[in-house]
Amino acid sequence: MKIELTTLEDIVNPEIIKSIDSIKKEKLKSIKCGDEEKANECWRALKAFDLNVLYIRAFNNIKNKRYRDAWNELEKCEINYEFLSENSNEFFLINTRSKFIIDKVIKWQSLYPYCLFVSPGFKVGYYTCSICDHRVRPRSRCGHKKGKIYNGELCLHVAHDMEILEVSIVSTPAQKYSVMHDDATLDFTLIEYISNILESAFEEWDLNRTTMRFPKERFANVRSEDDCPCKSGREFHGCCSDKKEIEIPHIDFILSKSIPPDKEEISFPY
Ligand SMILES: [Zn+2]
Ligand SMILES: [Zn+2]
């Protein structure tokens, strides 16, 4: 698939809509006449298109400071990429920018201040295969493998008779949608900084995590009961308050262009 998608406007470009429609038609035709390879090829092209659209939306939401919406789209990108990579080769993933997208999705997620999530635990009565409706049991499986495509359709195990058992609060959730924070109380400085510099969703950037030492005098405004600037999660008193120098986490952003002088300064919160 040739991709010329970069902006939100491109998503509604009549030429692109036309070419996506023709892939959808092609897929239906291939399913009908049993051309499984062609149907799967169409599935891949459509999935890669969806992934690009999702990422462009996420990038725009980040730029417009709608961080929670962007977070959910980044999560969808991750799930989408998983299915795609399971069913495509390396060349396809690079060519459709899918590799670029997953690399950036993980980096954006790492810049979010979210750390607590709600995780529901379920009891599932039984599963069926989405391809053939077979009831999946430990010793009775159909020939379809979960996450693989068959004749242009993704095989999933559909859960039936689900019951919520418990809800727990976790830091590394299986799904990242249920964030437990109020965005208004969080610090999005890092995301804001890098998103102000990036102009296009597909501009190259990277980050490098290090630490930096600052003399204690820079932290004169930190009260002893405040969180320690070293981000240990402990109070300042009893952590770094007696040290001459305090080592704090630092991120270097690596860009393919020089940073405009007005954006060079990052604010120091202490
Ligand atoms: Zn099956
Ligand atoms: Zn400390």
Side-chain angles (χ1 to χ4, degrees), residues 1 5 34 40 43 47 55-56 62-63 81 94 112 124-125 151 157 162 192 208 228 234 239 251 253:
M1 185 174 77
L5 275 176
N40 291 350
W43 178 90
K47 242 341 182 220
Y55 186 65
I56 291 167
I62 290 172
K63 284 223 48 100
Y81 178 82
I94 293 170
Y112 268 79
V124 176
N151 210 13
H157 283 176
M162 279 170 65
E192 198 180 331
N208 188 18
C228 188
R234 282 179 289 171
C239 190
I251 293 179
F253 287 108

Side-chain angles (χ1 to χ4, degrees), residues 36-161:
E36 177 153 18
E37 199 32 59
K38 185 82 203 159
N40 291 350
E41 199 182 293
C42 294
W43 178 90
R44 277 191 280 273
L46 293 170
K47 242 341 182 220
F49 175 77
D50 288 347
L51 178 60
N52 275 263
V53 168
L54 273 169
Y55 186 65
I56 291 167
R57 293 220 167 100
F59 181 80
N60 271 277
N61 277 328
I62 290 172
K63 284 223 48 100
N64 290 302
K65 300 189 173 44
R66 292 188 291 265
Y67 299 124
R68 185 64 64 96
D69 292 339
W71 174 263
N72 292 337
E73 279 150 353
L74 293 172
E75 167 75 347
K76 282 184 199 153
C77 286
E78 209 186 327
I79 295 167
N80 209 314
Y81 178 82
E82 236 171 79
F83 291 136
L84 198 56
S85 66
E86 182 69 28
N87 293 284
S88 332
N89 62 34
E90 195 79 0
F91 179 76
F92 179 88
L93 294 174
I94 293 170
N95 233 10
T96 53
R97 300 196 293 211
S98 307
K99 276 260 170 196
F100 173 93
I101 292 171
I102 194 66
D103 174 65
K104 298 300 174 275
V105 163
I106 291 164
K107 279 169 189 153
W108 284 118
Q109 286 170 335
S110 78
L111 294 172
Y112 268 79
Y114 299 155
C115 56
L116 292 176
F117 305 86
V118 179
S119 170
F122 291 103
K123 194 179 132 210
V124 176
Y126 65 99
Y127 291 97
T128 53
C129 167
S130 66
I131 302 291
C132 68
D133 272 338
H134 180 86
R135 194 162 158 163
V136 184
R137 297 186 196 87
R139 252 168 274 188
S140 164
R141 298 189 172 269
C142 57
H144 304 115
K145 213 175 149 238
K146 195 168 81 175
K148 288 274 178 205
I149 38 171
Y150 297 93
N151 210 13
E153 297 302 332
L154 183 69
C155 172
L156 296 168
H157 283 176
V158 185
H160 300 267
D161 297 343

